[in-house]
């Protein structure tokens, strides 16, 4: 055996099977940044000329913007479970009002698999779900032991850095949590660069989630600014939505959260929260450059769900409309020849694709049967297709607001299946190319008849997949039936009554 091979064997034995020094040269570092409740309209690179997001805009120019990226479940807990696992909600088995993640599912999540593959892993910020050995048992402690460095927190975490136990050391310099995550990212990058081991840094920012606490150091930004409202702003632009959509906290939030009477003040504070994230992203990119590893570090930037911000007369998220379900996605791979061109892709992608993408970047085998696909083929060819359609799932909140939606590159079909009380099954169909603001429901238009049929067929396919693949706990199997267009309300109603009873007793 040649000397070089012997050296490799010796290193392998010493380091538990991984030759980290050699690996670091071939495998990229990975940084996955995710905000909480961030609308794409909060970013300059997505077309809002009123806001300042210079670091995010630069990241987008250096990398690629994904213009049709969706959260398949547009609410924190369900979305985060999907991001970690590459599984749709009914297969991750995880969301508010349903239940926690089973340990065997967590063990196939991207952070666990990347660490097994020799990556140095870190997590900071809002983790967003709990893990149980099996459903119905008590929740396990946060999985800090599954990361090399843990700076995460349970529940919603706090905007006050000193209240986030694992982040306290940053509280004096960065009393507001957003920049504390930038500072931690900087330190972790510096430290990791010295180890020679490839790393995966995941930061889940709390911003711009409620409450509207921006860092005081940005108080002067947007002071007295008058913002241009989106063209679908206000109640008058949501009258065509199904009645079921009005039975949500988001509908009430338009008034409760002052979008109707104090838009400039509330949106300025929201954009200030995003500005803090932008500064933190700048800190992280500066740290990469200083450590000399910026050319071998891939960055992904996204949000767990979108936010209405008053569009269609709604606040909050959860519903299948563009503002709540479509989210930012920027990928920057400095090693790729498509970088630095400011490219955009209109390919349909989703949060379900994140875990497979991160594993693909690391050269890991992607577990079989995931719902997501790697987005690297889109980075290679921005017109490539990886999904014909994606489901948008809402099984959170009151039963009347539950809906299953199918989105393709051209259309969106929503089926509101709740027909209790004074409601009836309602369909919505949007032509996303001609009507990106979703102002005209085409479901009853004769000219859209063929499209409606096609979308219904895709929808039925997703319902069938749900029926075959849903986990057999946390009430997910029943929903395959509840969304089935061939079943009558009389068949569904007993399950709805049971679900409502169970959801009141389970996860709060
Ligand atoms: Ca969220």
């Amino acid at each position: 055996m040649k000397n070089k091979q012997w050296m490799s064997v010796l290193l392998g034995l010493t380091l538990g099977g991984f030759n980290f020094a050699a690996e670091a040269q071939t495998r990229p570092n990975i940084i996955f940044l995710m905000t909480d409740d961030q609308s794409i309209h909060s970013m300059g690179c997505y077309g809002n000329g009123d806001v300042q997001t210079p670091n995010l805009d630069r990241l987008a120019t250096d990398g690629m913007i994904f213009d049709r990226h969706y959260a398949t479940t547009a609410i924190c807990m369900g979305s985060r479970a999907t991001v970690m696992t590459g599984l749709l909600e009914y297969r991750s088995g995880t969301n508010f009002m349903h239940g926690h993640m089973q340990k065997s599912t967590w063990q196939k999540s991207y952070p666990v698999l990347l660490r097994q593959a020799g990556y140095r892993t870190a997590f900071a910020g809002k983790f967003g779900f709990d893990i149980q050995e099996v459903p119905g048992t008590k929740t396990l402690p946060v999985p800090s032991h599954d990361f090399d460095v843990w700076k995460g927190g349970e529940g919603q975490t706090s905007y006050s850095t000193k209240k986030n136990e694992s982040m306290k050391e940053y509280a004096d310099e960065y009393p507001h949590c957003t920049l504390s995550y930038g500072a931690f990212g900087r330190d972790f990058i510096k430290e990791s660069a010295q180890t020679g081991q490839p790393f995966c840094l995941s930061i889940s920012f709390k911003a711009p989630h409620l409450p509207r606490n921006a860092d005081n150091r940005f108080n002067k930004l947007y002071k007295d600014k008058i913002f241009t409202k989106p063209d679908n702003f206000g109640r008058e632009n949501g009258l065509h939505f199904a009645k079921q959509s009005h039975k949500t906290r988001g509908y009430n939030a338009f008034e409760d959260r002052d979008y109707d009477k104090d838009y400039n003040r509330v949106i300025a504070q929201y954009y200030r929260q995003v500005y803090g994230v932008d500064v933190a992203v700048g800190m992280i990119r500066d740290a990469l450059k200083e450590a000399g590893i910026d050319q071998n570090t891939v960055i992904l930037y996204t949000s767990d769900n979108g936010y209405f911000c008053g569009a269609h007369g709604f606040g909050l998220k959860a519903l299948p409309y563009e503002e709540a379900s479509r989210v930012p996605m920027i990928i920057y791979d400095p090693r790729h020849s498509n970088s630095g061109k400011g490219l955009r892709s209109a390919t349909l992608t989703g949060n379900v694709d994140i875990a497979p993408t991160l594993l693909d970047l690391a050269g890991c085998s992607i577990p079989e049967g995931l719902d997501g696909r790697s987005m690297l083929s889109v980075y290679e060819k921005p017109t490539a297709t990886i999904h014909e359609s994606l489901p948008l799932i809402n099984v959170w909140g009151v039963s009347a607001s539950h809906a299953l939606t199918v989105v393709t590159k051209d259309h969106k079909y929503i089926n509101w299946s709740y027909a209790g009380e004074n409601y009836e099954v309602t369909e919505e169909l949007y032509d996303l190319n001609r009507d990106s603001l979703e102002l005209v429901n085409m479901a009853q238009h004769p000219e859209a008849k063929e499209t409606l049929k096609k979308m219904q067929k895709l929808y039925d396919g997703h319902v069938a997949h749900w029926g075959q693949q849903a986990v057999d706990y946390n009430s997910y199997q029943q929903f395959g039936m509840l969304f089935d267009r061939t079943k009558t309300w009389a068949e569904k109603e007993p399950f709805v009554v049971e679900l409502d009873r169970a959801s009141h007793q389970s996860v709060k």
Side-chain angles (χ1 to χ4, degrees):
M1 196 179 276
K2 290 177 187 170
N3 284 348
K4 242 161 101 180
Q5 285 170 309
W6 272 113
M7 187 61 84
S8 176
V9 169
L10 285 171
L11 273 169
L13 287 171
T14 314
L15 298 171
F18 284 101
N19 180 346
F20 291 133
E23 291 290 345
Q25 292 164 19
T26 54
R27 299 200 287 180
N29 305 305
I30 298 167
I31 297 183
F32 176 61
L33 306 173
M34 185 163 74
T35 48
D36 194 343
D37 291 5
Q38 186 185 356
S39 157
I40 62 165
H41 299 296
S42 64
M43 298 164 80
C45 55
Y46 275 94
N48 189 343
D50 277 344
V51 297
Q52 293 180 39
T53 48
N55 289 297
L56 292 170
D57 298 349
R58 198 169 305 128
L59 184 68
T61 309
D62 290 346
M64 188 179 291
I65 288 189
F66 288 64
D67 275 314
R68 297 290 311 286
H69 188 81
Y70 289 88
T72 52
T73 294
I75 194 159
C76 306
M77 185 168 165
S79 178
R80 282 153 202 268
T82 289
V83 164
M84 287 285 189
T85 61
L87 296 171
L88 292 166
E89 182 185 333
Y90 55 83
R91 296 185 65 212
S92 79
T94 312
N95 203 358
F96 299 117
M97 301 179 72
H98 289 257
H100 307 292
M101 185 179 283
Q102 193 164 283
K103 192 175 172 186
S104 58
T105 304
W106 166 248
Q107 281 167 336
K108 290 178 190 161
S109 66
Y110 84 79
V112 172
L113 296 177
L114 286 180
R115 194 174 188 215
Q116 281 171 6
Y119 269 71
R120 183 171 194 258
T121 60
F123 182 89
K126 173 172 157 180
F127 191 68
F129 57 88
D130 289 317
I131 298 166
Q132 291 174 324
E133 200 70 55
V134 289
T137 56
K138 67 174 186 176
T139 55
L140 300 168
V142 288
S144 54
H145 53 279
D146 283 330
F147 294 85
D148 291 289
V149 181
W150 171 263
K151 294 286 178 186
E154 289 180 87
Q156 293 289 348
T157 67
S158 175
Y159 276 122
S160 171
T161 306
K162 66 182 176 199
K163 290 182 182 166
N164 296 327
E165 194 57 38
S166 63
M167 291 294 292
K168 273 181 173 172
E169 65 198 89
Y170 293 99
D172 286 346
E173 198 175 353
Y174 301 105
H176 185 281
C177 77
T178 299
L179 293 192
S180 78
Y181 295 128
F184 164 66
R186 179 193 63 198
D187 292 350
F188 179 78
I189 288 163
K190 196 173 168 189
E191 199 180 279
S192 297
Q194 287 161 2
T195 68
Q197 188 181 351
F199 67 80
C200 176
L201 166 65
S202 302
I203 297 180
S204 285
F205 292 96
K206 179 175 174 62
H209 193 286
L210 288 169
R212 292 185 179 122
N213 290 353
D215 193 326
N216 288 335
R217 73 184 76 196
F218 306 130
N219 278 352
K220 285 184 184 162
L221 182 70
Y222 307 132
K223 198 170 181 298
D224 301 323
K225 186 169 174 64
I226 309 294
F227 293 91
T228 308
K229 291 172 183 167
D231 288 342
N232 59 1
F233 182 88
R235 288 274 201 243
E236 64 276 24
N237 290 309
L239 300 174
H240 58 292
F241 283 4
K243 214 166 62 166
Q244 285 91 333
S245 73
H246 295 174
K247 191 137 179 166
T248 55
R249 274 167 42 184
Y251 183 75
N252 299 329
F254 181 65
E255 289 163 352
D256 295 348
R257 298 290 175 183
D258 298 334
Y259 292 104
D260 58 338
K261 44 196 169 291
D262 207 0
Y263 181 75
N264 288 313
R265 185 183 63 80
V266 300
I267 207 72
Q269 194 69 336
Y270 182 78
Y271 290 155
R272 265 181 219 120
Q273 289 174 294
V274 173
Y275 184 79
V277 175
D278 186 87
V279 173
V281 169
M283 290 165 77
I284 287 165
R285 293 201 70 190
D286 286 347
L288 288 173
K289 207 161 188 183
E290 275 164 35
I293 54 173
D294 55 317
Q295 292 306 308
N296 193 37
T297 302
V298 181
I299 302 174
L300 272 78
Y301 181 92
T302 192
S303 175
D304 67 340
N305 52 259
Y307 218 56
F308 275 105
C309 297
H312 301 288
F314 282 76
L316 308 181
K317 52 218 178 187
L319 298 181
Y321 303 106
E322 290 291 274
E323 285 74 15
S325 287
R326 195 152 70 93
V327 291
M329 172 53 77
I330 301 170
I331 301 180
Y332 171 44
D333 184 344
R335 306 164 306 163
H336 199 285
S337 60
N338 273 344
S339 300
K341 298 174 180 171
L343 293 179
R344 305 184 85 103
S345 171
T347 294
L348 181 68
T349 55
N351 59 352
V352 78
D353 300 320
I354 290 168
T357 303
L358 301 180
L359 293 168
D360 196 10
L361 278 167
C364 296
S365 57
I366 298 169
E368 274 186 34
L370 294 191
D371 298 308
R373 313 229 167 96
S374 169
M375 294 182 277
L376 296 189
S377 59
V378 183
Y379 206 90
E380 175 71 28
K381 187 181 172 199
T383 54
T385 299
I386 59 170
H387 299 283
E388 185 191 1
S389 65
L390 280 173
L392 306 180
I393 300 163
N394 183 35
V395 290
W396 172 81
V398 296
S399 295
S401 69
H402 294 170
L404 183 63
T405 298
V406 179
V407 64
T408 66
K409 71 181 176 59
D410 300 315
H411 296 97
K412 182 185 287 179
Y413 170 76
I414 309 171
N415 188 296
W416 301 90
S417 57
Y418 185 83
E421 303 162 72
N422 297 317
Y423 293 87
E424 53 190 43
V425 175
T426 308
E427 296 174 300
E428 292 179 46
L429 177 69
Y430 296 98
D431 182 332
L432 297 174
N433 295 321
R434 286 157 60 191
D435 179 26
S436 61
L437 295 175
E438 296 176 319
L439 292 170
V440 182
N441 176 10
M442 301 289 289
Q444 303 301 325
H445 285 216
E447 63 174 279
K449 205 173 161 190
E450 286 308 309
T451 304
L452 182 66
K453 265 193 207 163
K454 186 190 140 205
M455 294 302 287
Q456 286 170 333
K457 200 174 164 197
L458 287 171
Y459 173 92
D460 293 342
H462 284 285
V463 172
H465 188 259
W466 188 310
Q468 292 152 9
Q469 297 281 326
V471 295
D472 61 359
Y473 51 86
N474 292 347
S475 74
Y476 281 102
Q477 282 203 338
Q478 291 96 321
F479 280 91
M481 193 274 291
L482 284 181
F483 292 133
D484 188 334
R485 293 191 306 124
T486 66
K487 303 277 186 203
T488 64
W489 181 247
E491 290 173 278
K492 297 175 184 181
E493 193 172 18
F495 287 104
V496 175
V497 172
E498 174 60 20
L499 283 168
D500 282 343
R501 190 195 61 75
S503 69
H504 282 113
Q505 287 175 3
S506 62
V507 185
K508 296 290 183 290

